[in-house]
Amino acid sequence: MKKRNVILSGLFLVGVVFVGSSLYASEDVASYIKGNHMKAIHAMGIEVEDQKLENMATITDENGKKWVFNEFTKSTNLIEIMREKYEEDVAGPFISVQDEIMQEYAKPGDSIPTILLDETLKEGYFAFIREDGEALSFKIKYDNGSWEYELEK
C-alpha cells in the first residue's frame, strides 16, 4: 500500500512538473511572438508603448495616430471589415499584395507578419522579422483599385 502511494505521489509530481513546464513554454512562445510584433512595429518607424496586441485592436503611436493591428495568419476579420466598409473591392487586392510580398521576400524562419493599417484601412504597413533579427517593413497603400507596396530601408 505504501509503495502504491509513493508511486502515485511520484506520478502526480511528474505530472505537475510536466504541466507547469508546458504552461511556461507556451508563455515563452506567446512572449516571443509578441516581441516579434513589437520589433516589426518599431521597424515600421512607429513607436508604441507595450500595448496589448490582439487582432483588430487599435493601438496608438507616440504622435496620437491610431492603427489597427493584425497578425497575418489571423486577418480574416480585417478582410471581412474591408468588404463591409467599401463597395469597391479593397479586400481582394489586399490579399494579393500580401501574397506578392510573401512570395518575393519571405524565407523559412521568418516571423509571422505584422499588419498595421490606419483607420481607413487603406494605408499602412506589412512587416516581418527574419530569423537573424533583420526587419523587413513594407509601406502599403490602396489607390485606384490596387494596393502598392514599397520596401522601406
Side-chain angles (χ1 to χ4, degrees):
M1 189 71 166
K2 285 184 181 181
K3 186 175 181 180
R4 180 176 172 215
N5 287 340
V6 169
I7 291 172
L8 289 176
S9 296
L11 288 174
F12 176 77
L13 182 60
V14 168
V16 168
V17 170
F18 178 73
V19 169
S21 64
S22 294
L23 290 174
Y24 180 72
S26 67
E27 288 176 17
D28 283 344
V29 170
S31 295
Y32 177 76
I33 291 170
K34 181 179 180 181
N36 278 335
H37 287 307
M38 291 301 290
K39 287 179 193 173
I41 291 168
H42 180 73
M44 296 173 197
I46 298 171
E47 296 298 325
V48 295
E49 291 186 25
D50 191 18
Q51 299 178 27
K52 191 170 186 178
L53 296 179
E54 294 179 350
N55 286 314
M56 296 306 296
T58 300
I59 61 173
T60 306
D61 68 19
E62 64 182 4
N63 299 320
K65 182 165 178 151
K66 297 190 181 305
W67 299 93
V68 177
F69 168 83
N70 249 270
E71 187 176 294
F72 173 73
T73 58
K74 299 177 183 173
S75 58
T76 306
N77 288 341
L78 176 64
I79 291 165
E80 287 304 316
I81 289 172
M82 284 178 174
R83 287 185 174 137
E84 292 170 7
K85 187 172 185 169
Y86 296 106
E87 288 183 24
E88 67 208 274
D89 186 15
V90 175
F94 179 70
I95 293 167
S96 296
V97 78
Q98 292 176 87
D99 182 54
E100 190 175 326
I101 292 169
M102 296 299 288
Q103 291 293 328
E104 187 169 339
Y105 294 96
K107 294 181 179 178
D110 290 349
S111 70
I112 296 169
T114 303
I115 302 166
L116 278 187
L117 296 177
D118 67 358
E119 293 178 295
T120 67
L121 304 180
K122 287 189 170 183
E123 185 173 353
Y125 296 91
F126 184 90
F128 53 90
I129 306 298
R130 290 270 154 91
E131 193 170 27
D132 65 3
E134 175 191 11
L136 292 178
S137 174
F138 302 86
K139 180 133 176 84
I140 57 176
K141 184 174 183 175
Y142 180 80
D143 190 30
N144 293 325
S146 67
W147 284 84
E148 302 295 325
Y149 72 90
E150 180 180 343
L151 175 62
E152 297 200 324
K153 303 269 175 174

